[in-house]
Amino acid sequence: MRLFYKVYIFLILMLIVILAGAGYISYRREVSLFNEDMKKDALLLGNALSGMVEHTWKVSGPEKALELIRDANTKERSIGIRWVSLDFPAAGMEAPTVPLKEIAPLLQGEPVSLTMKNANRGLWRFTYIPVPTEAGAHRAIELSESFVLLDQYMKNSLFHFILTAAMILLAAGGVLWYHFKKWIHQPLALFTEKSRRIGQGDLAPDLVVMGRDEFAVLGQTLNDMCRDLSASLETVRRENRRRIEALEQLRHSERLATLGRLSAGMAHEIGTPLNVISGRSRMIRSGDLDRDEVVAFSAIIEEQAQRITKIMQGLLDFARRRKPDKTPQDMETIVKQVLDMLAPAASKARAVFKVIRHGDIPKVPMDTIQVQQVLTNIVLNGIQAMEKGGQLEVELDVERKSHPEADVAAKAYLSIRIKDEGKGIPAEHLQHLFDPFFTTKEVGQGTGLGLSIAYGIIEEHGGWIEVDSTPGQGTCFTVFLPF
């Protein structure tokens, strides 16, 4: 209801301004009317009294005339009446209250009515009516009336004005609160709740707003938006599933391509134990061996069969398609599995493996097959880069690094540094190394997708790959994985 209070405060301010303006105008009008009424009443009373005083002066003498004025002053409670002389302005009972220069028209026989503020008694109206008496004398009746009644009237009016304004504001606030809650607050509460549910993924078009006003139109628009978002989200999910399936197919194809590159070495690696098994089997079947020799040859056959099983199991695990499954794994074990699988290719290329571990290596949450694919691709590239043979090092360590593509603080990562002694990579090729279909190999020896797929896999694991190469000295790939 904070919006209601803002609207209500604005309404109060507007009403106060309007009522204050109307009150001020009414106050000025009342003062003006009251002042005019006082002036008219004083002139009427003064003129009537002037005629009576003039008549009494002529008929009964000055004493009777002055007695008449005193009687009139006694009877009038709100108006003071005095007999003043304009010929003696210095002081005395008959001197006018207002200075002579302010009432000069009296000397020409014209009545004068004006207001004057008395320092001790407030604002007063003084009215002077000339009264002709003996020749050469200037006499007048002074009528004085205080504005106290006006002040009291205006105070009472102000009180009633404030009371009326307060009642109007309270009544307006009550009516506004009722209609605001019914027509604005309740629809806004519905919109707020619906927006919160949309943010949480609830796209059901179930918002109901009664009426035909703008809120009803907005509610219908939100429902239409939910339908569109739901349809778009389903499309995105469908396309994402297709993309993932295509990506898995691409990665599987790359694994099969890698197996093809290893096939020649594998045929030799499997052929040797098969020859051994075949030869020992024939000798056992000949029956020319004693019991101890049969046992020894059987052990050799079992050892060679296990060797073949290990090689084939490694190849099958590498080539098998399955759903990604990230679980904590020992990286040193995975590295050794990859190197064992690539040992025939390394032997054929006269390459030697060396594994270096610095301290304790923590387990890392990963998909084993995907990470094996990354390491296999990088190690196999290193083997092929060493045309004259050499040493390929795999170094495991823990380093504090900042992710190059994320604005986050440095933290610990597991690093797998793979260094070969090959011919190196030209500097102009380094920036394109992870681009899809980029390759420097001859046609038929590579798809150009291996390193691109490898980088994508490591990115999905929250890491990245760095490359450092010096032509003629070798290349170093460093894989960083969070743990």
Side-chain angles (χ1 to χ4, degrees), residues 446-461:
T447 62
L449 292 173
L451 289 178
S452 175
I453 291 175
Y455 199 92
I457 291 173
I458 298 302
E459 268 192 329
E460 290 179 1
H461 284 72

Side-chain angles (χ1 to χ4, degrees), residues 87-237:
D87 296 329
F88 304 93
M93 292 297 294
E94 293 188 0
T97 304
V98 179
L100 279 178
K101 63 180 181 178
E102 301 290 337
I103 54 175
L106 278 174
L107 300 176
Q108 281 76 40
E110 298 179 8
V112 176
S113 183
L114 51 80
T115 58
M116 188 178 75
K117 192 169 186 180
N118 191 305
N120 299 323
R121 300 165 61 191
L123 187 64
W124 286 69
R125 172 167 287 282
F126 292 95
T127 303
Y128 293 89
I129 306 297
V131 179
T133 56
E134 68 271 13
H138 298 91
R139 301 286 190 270
I141 298 174
E142 179 190 84
L143 295 93
S144 59
E145 186 175 4
S146 174
F147 277 80
V148 173
L149 294 177
L150 176 62
D151 292 339
Q152 293 178 350
Y153 171 76
M154 296 311 300
K155 288 179 180 178
N156 291 334
S157 298
L158 179 61
F159 173 76
H160 288 97
F161 170 79
I162 293 175
L163 182 62
T164 303
M167 293 177 65
I168 291 174
L169 291 175
L170 289 175
V175 173
L176 179 64
W177 181 85
Y178 173 77
H179 289 285
F180 190 93
K181 184 175 181 62
K182 181 177 181 180
W183 302 112
I184 296 180
H185 180 261
Q186 291 179 355
L188 284 180
L190 291 176
F191 293 144
T192 302
E193 177 62 23
K194 181 59 180 176
S195 299
R196 185 179 295 111
R197 287 192 286 118
I198 289 175
Q200 295 172 352
D202 181 5
L203 299 178
D206 55 0
L207 185 61
V208 179
V209 180
M210 305 302 294
R212 298 182 180 179
D213 56 8
E214 289 80 1
F215 285 119
V217 175
L218 180 58
Q220 184 60 41
T221 303
L222 275 177
N223 286 333
D224 293 340
M225 182 190 72
C226 288
R227 293 189 187 93
D228 294 341
L229 284 176
S230 181
S232 300
L233 183 60
E234 183 59 31
T235 301
V236 170
R237 288 172 178 168

Side-chain angles (χ1 to χ4, degrees), residues 437-476:
F437 304 107
F438 177 80
T439 180
T440 58
K441 299 176 182 178
E442 296 180 2
V443 176
Q445 292 189 5
T447 62
L449 292 173
L451 289 178
S452 175
I453 291 175
Y455 199 92
I457 291 173
I458 298 302
E459 268 192 329
E460 290 179 1
H461 284 72
W464 73 97
I465 302 176
E466 294 180 356
V467 184
D468 183 27
S469 182
T470 303
Q473 298 183 12
T475 302
C476 177

